[in-house]
Amino acid sequence: MICLFPFSVYEDKGFPMNDPFIDRREAYRVLIERFLKERLDARREKLPDDDPLRDELPSLFERATWLADAARRVGQIQAVTHSLKPIHPDARGTNLYCAPSSLRQHVEVGSHVLGQDFSADVVGNAAALDVYKFLRLEIEGRSLLDGMLAGDASLAAALSDDADEAAAWIEAFTGLIRPRGNPASHTLAKQLYWLVGDDPLQDSQYHLLAPLYASSLAHRVFLTLNEDRFGEAGKAARQARRDKEDHPVGFAEYPNLAVQKLGGTKPQNISQLNSERRGNNYLLGSLPPQWKSRAVRALWHTESAFPRFGQREQVREAIKELRLFLESNPEPTLETRDRRDAYLDVLLDELVCFSREFQEELPTGWTAEPDCELEEAEQLWLDPFRAETDEDFKSKWQGMDWPAGIGQRFGRWLNSKLDKRLPLGEIEQRQWAKELLVDETWAARLHKTRKKMDAPTYIQARRAS
């Protein structure tokens, strides 16, 4: 809110009370004077107490003096939405101010999506950027520059009591967004010759395109990604995920994100918005896709999925390490049990991933095909949502006797992979089965599926004993 001067200030000058024009003029002047005082105080802080310039500064920041100087210096900068210097800092050529709402609307993402809500950038002499900060001052949600462009008479009156002087200053300030000179490219700029005619051998059949950096769009992308990555809402959502708790909103991830630094140690030499970003500009990952063959193939003409499971690289490695460890005949200590359990945990985690791939990547009901010869417990395990259309299958699945059957088959399979030189038998088989059925990851996956299937919440284990 802008604090207006009390009406008594105007009474002595003969102004009528409650005059909206006078109120707005004085509100603008309050805003301008406050800005100039802040600039004056900032300059004073940088000067030693005995510097003679301290006595001269107040006159430089009087409203009329500073505005006259600013109107002269504004020609050193230009408001743009598409700039050249980010392409090459030494390039000299045309920058453009194209309001996003004036651009052609199309389905692809571009500057046009910003509409009326965008940040204009400024290029030119960094020493004159304070003029742009002045023009960005807002009252009632509208900047001074927008007020000048709209022909706000109260703003003109706030700048100067001399109407001609105010008009000259406004003409200079609004020149900030006007094109300057004829469009020109540069040897250090990007340039593309685009064939627009039929004869590629004729130079006249080409248009020269000079792509510019979409500065306003890049700034919105930067702000959006920063909020997604470091904002409080995103942090809370990520923490909820780590805590395995629900959260009302999600969060965004940006894999393969890169940061391009523009301007080195002087980002202000590129543009105002680049300076506000400290030279940081995000580049979204645009790597070519890597072709991957379908990882999951249906299990045809086999009675068990475990031979396929045993072909997984992590499974082969874990079994090899477990076998070597057991063959070393370790002492029956807590350390031995922990190490054995660590190898077993790898196998159980891989088994849960293995089953999830079949459940999620193959079409529901694939086990009903004639080519599927899996044992019934494994069909119930790997194709649970077949129960949605097969009543007999649903009855058997909800009976929940099959998890124990999977544990029994897992135990037999693991024994067969380990007992080449190890005396393993029924006791070990039952232990492997028990480890599977009480594993937290296995139980959590099964519990999640049971909730979807409205099945009983217990798991029978008698067949594994």
Side-chain angles (χ1 to χ4, degrees), residues 372-386:
C372 181
E373 299 173 3
L374 289 177
E375 192 269 342
E376 186 175 70
E378 294 193 16
Q379 292 186 28
L380 294 163
W381 169 41
L382 298 176
D383 189 18
F385 298 106
R386 175 181 161 188

Side-chain angles (χ1 to χ4, degrees), residues 79-115:
V80 301
T81 56
H82 297 74
S83 55
L84 181 59
K85 278 189 174 292
I87 295 174
H88 196 289
D90 292 328
R92 301 288 185 270
T94 296
N95 299 283
L96 294 177
Y97 182 93
C98 299
S101 59
S102 69
L103 300 175
R104 186 174 67 87
Q105 302 296 306
H106 48 83
V107 296
E108 292 80 12
V109 174
S111 298
H112 62 281
V113 304
L114 300 178

